[in-house]
Amino acid sequence: MKVKVLYFARLREKFGVESEVLDLPGEHAYVAAIVDMLRKRGDPWAKELGLDAGYRMAVNQTLAGLVTPVQNGDEVAIFPPVTGG
Amino acid sequence: MKVKVLYFARLREKFGVESEVLDLPGEHAYVAAIVDMLRKRGDPWAKELGLDAGYRMAVNQTLAGLVTPVQNGDEVAIFPPVTGG
Amino acid sequence: MKILVQETDFDPGAEIAALHAGQPRVGAVTSFVGLVRDVNEGDAINTLTLEHYPAMTEKSLRGIVDEAMGRWSLLDVTVIHRVGLLNPLDRIVFVGVASGHRGEAFAACEFIMDFLKTRAPFWKKEGTPQGDRWVEARATDDEVAERWQQSSKKDPA
Amino acid sequence: MKILVQETDFDPGAEIAALHAGQPRVGAVTSFVGLVRDVNEGDAINTLTLEHYPAMTEKSLRGIVDEAMGRWSLLDVTVIHRVGLLNPLDRIVFVGVASGHRGEAFAACEFIMDFLKTRAPFWKKEGTPQGDRWVEARATDDEVAERWQQSSKKDPA
């Protein structure tokens, strides 16, 4: 399955990537599988997506958690806590 | 001592008076003495200034109670609960 | 601080702008605009007449704003209250608060309105098809104002 | 309901008027204007750049407004958030709420701001004399938003 992943703000700058398409095994997964895959790249991914890193996620433009299901064609976003307003 | 008394809104209409000067014995008194004097006039005064009537008072343009002191030359106002805003 | 009691209308946009123009410390402006509705207690309202106690009105509003400024860190406050004859859709009152941060601006703006409703000497008379009637004070207004005394419930975090 | 995300400035007075003009059921309009300050965390701020997640931003704001409309009896809501490059004194965000009575209008306006601050995908980058830096989210913002879940503390009486 293919999932589009977007990065915003400080994480976009740290990773040097705005968006990419990840290819995961199977037809269904959880957001946790994507985060795991990214952490295995080592730093800065491992550090910024570490257990205490406080990043946020959305699946198809809705705030999500590590146990939110993801399927082929979904859009996943990873970003720092928001600071608008 | 002389005290100017003002009435507002519904009470002004009920009493048919906008303001009057009351002459009280002595040099000092409490608001209660003024209210007592007015109640003795009978209705509508007795009714509108009765124990459960819920009127409000001010002495020299500051919200007051029955035990607020009053002296010669003071301005006392008696009015219904406010409804601005 | 600006406190006005007037018969004429006011401009909320101009008042909000005046609370922050050229003041780069202001991060938040909260405002309240009160309007004449065309129905109250189930009856049609044709007119609304606002009576006040001129010698006391501004003094009373100033006292309320002073108390708000003592409770919260505010940069500026504007209160405008109209008196005289109004019609449905007309503006009645404006309260605007400028502060560094939103929590204090929200709390102070609501505090000022809650106390204005229960302390400032204004009285409303409604013109209805059945005749004129004085608006009765609502017990809930007193309760809302009293809650500010009892607790810091609405204080910013 | 009106929700806009735009680079251009907005006019708070016009937005407030649009929330009640010709609507005689509206008795109260509360509004919030957020502004760029020239100092933050003790450092001078020269510029503020707002990044957002375009596909999600309006959806997120709409969800917050829907939740407010479910909680309180509101007649209309407007949310406008700017993005792009801003300077001190510039307006950032407008939230306006029209309701029959003030308690609901105040609560809903603050609720929308509290949730916008913690849920809507905007990020601020400050330009300072020492260079650019991303603004860190404040724990107090999360706490303030969470209090709306736990209690009816800010509900109108």
Side-chain angles (χ1 to χ4, degrees), chain A:
Chain A
M1 61 182 268
K2 288 182 178 181
V3 174
K4 186 174 185 184
V5 184
L6 309 178
Y7 307 101
F8 290 97
R10 196 178 51 77
L11 292 185
R12 174 177 49 72
E13 288 186 351
K14 285 271 178 188
F15 299 157
V17 184
E18 199 171 300
S19 74
E20 59 181 318
V21 176
L22 295 186
D23 205 338
L24 288 101
E27 287 303 306
H28 298 278
Y30 294 104
V31 170
I34 295 168
V35 173
D36 272 346
M37 179 182 266
L38 296 171
R39 280 180 187 148
K40 284 182 183 140
R41 292 175 177 177
D43 287 339
W45 307 82
K47 177 165 181 285
E48 297 296 337
L49 304 178
L51 286 178
D52 299 332
Y55 58 94
R56 299 286 188 272
M57 297 152 290
V59 173
N60 296 331
Q61 301 90 43
T62 297
L63 288 174
L66 287 170
V67 297
T68 303
V70 182
Q71 59 184 18
N72 188 52
D74 280 354
E75 179 173 294
V76 174
I78 302 180
F79 44 77
V82 303
T83 57

Side-chain angles (χ1 to χ4, degrees), chain D residues 38-117:
Chain D
D38 68 351
V39 171
N40 193 25
E41 312 274 332
D43 295 309
I45 304 301
N46 298 325
T47 61
L48 188 72
T49 308
L50 268 146
E51 176 172 334
H52 72 130
Y53 176 7
M56 179 174 169
T57 317
E58 285 192 36
K59 186 177 176 178
S60 158
L61 294 174
R62 195 167 295 274
I64 294 166
V65 173
D66 280 344
E67 196 172 332
M69 289 189 139
R71 283 187 179 225
W72 296 283
S73 176
L74 309 179
L75 293 165
D76 203 1
V77 175
T78 295
V79 178
I80 305 175
H81 203 298
R82 294 179 71 188
V83 292
L85 180 64
L86 302 175
N87 296 103
L89 299 173
D90 282 352
R91 284 178 273 259
I92 305 171
V93 60
F94 175 88
V95 175
V97 175
S99 181
H101 301 282
R102 76 185 186 288
E104 306 203 275
F106 272 116
C109 193
E110 190 166 10
F111 173 92
I112 291 168
M113 273 309 301
D114 286 350
F115 277 78
L116 186 158
K117 281 262 180 191

